[in-house]
Amino acid sequence: MQASETILDVNGLTNTGPAHRNLPVARLIELSLRRNESSLASTGALVALTGKRTRRSPGDKFVVREPSSEARIWWGKVNQPMSRDHFQQLRAKVAEHFKGRDVFVFDGFAGADPAHRLPIRILSELAWHSLFVRQLFRRPTPEELSVHEPEFTVIAAPNCQAEPAADGTKSEAFIALDFESRTVLIGGTHYAGEMKKSIFTVMNYLMPLQGVFPMHCSANVGDDGGVALFFGLSGTGKTSLSADPARHLIGDDEHGWGDNGVFNFEGGC
């Protein structure tokens, strides 16, 4: 397994504060509270406020236009192009932002089917963001972790803001995906769902190339092996409909349908 310094150097992060790798839940909660990122509710649940951005910002999402992926992307309002120069400029800004700051590292997988799962690494400046991805993505076993090599990396710097006129963004927030360097940069938003959804975007690009149909749906399975899929836009009831006490939940957000059946992109629900 790579040393923390090597992981950060590979991603252009130098002179940072301490790197915290794959910390357990209790330690991440402790650090989040100690760093005043969050608080505890009366039930004991961890509560974090995301400020003015309480949901995803699709208008602030960009994909770098580059030769290896350009012909496979449907460019438009959903997949907005970003130049290589602007991406590199944002990457340098994020690297500068991390100087002297703690870095939280999560190594895991997207995709429950071992034949199609994607090894990922998420570097974040907030302990609770690392807790979020640890709970939402698939956690490796100690043996898997010892040989884990990420195929995509997300660098999340919510307190790093873009300058739209200079950085080619629409606002101070940015979610920029580059298939060439296999990197996602996130800044200007504390909404943790951007980390999850950015990896889902990657899976939606990669899975068809592997003969897998990606789906935005919830899914459950009966004792007879029959799978039910519930399609719908966000907030239309997919999770509620799939939570059937007589059936087993596969997942409630995004799935793949391959030769081995239907599998969850996440580690849970």
Side-chain angles (χ1 to χ4, degrees), residues 221-252:
V221 59
D223 291 334
D224 61 355
V227 174
L229 304 175
F230 302 86
F231 290 90
L233 298 176
S234 296
T236 55
K238 296 186 299 299
T239 299
S240 300
L241 289 171
S242 60
D244 187 331
R247 296 172 65 82
H248 306 282
L249 180 69
I250 298 175
D252 78 329

Side-chain angles (χ1 to χ4, degrees), residues 124-188:
S124 53
E125 68 170 300
L126 298 178
W128 82 265
H129 273 198
S130 197
L131 174 64
F132 178 91
V133 293
R134 189 185 190 281
Q135 298 295 78
L136 267 294
F137 287 113
R138 303 187 66 82
R139 296 184 290 275
T141 65
E143 294 74 23
E144 290 170 335
L145 190 59
S146 68
V147 294
H148 185 275
E149 291 291 340
E151 294 181 17
F152 252 91
T153 299
V154 177
I155 307 177
N159 291 310
C160 177
Q161 297 191 345
E163 299 175 51
D167 297 323
T169 62
K170 299 288 181 65
S171 73
E172 75 280 2
F174 55 91
I175 304 96
L177 163 61
D178 178 29
F179 282 105
E180 183 176 78
S181 66
R182 303 178 84 81
T183 303
V184 180
L185 302 176
I186 300 175

Side-chain angles (χ1 to χ4, degrees), residues 1 8 62 71 80 90 120 131 135 141 184 200 214 224 232 237 260:
M1 188 162 54
L8 300 183
F62 301 89
Q80 301 179 99
L90 285 172
I120 59 173
L131 174 64
Q135 298 295 78
T141 65
V184 180
F200 285 179
D224 61 355
N260 300 324

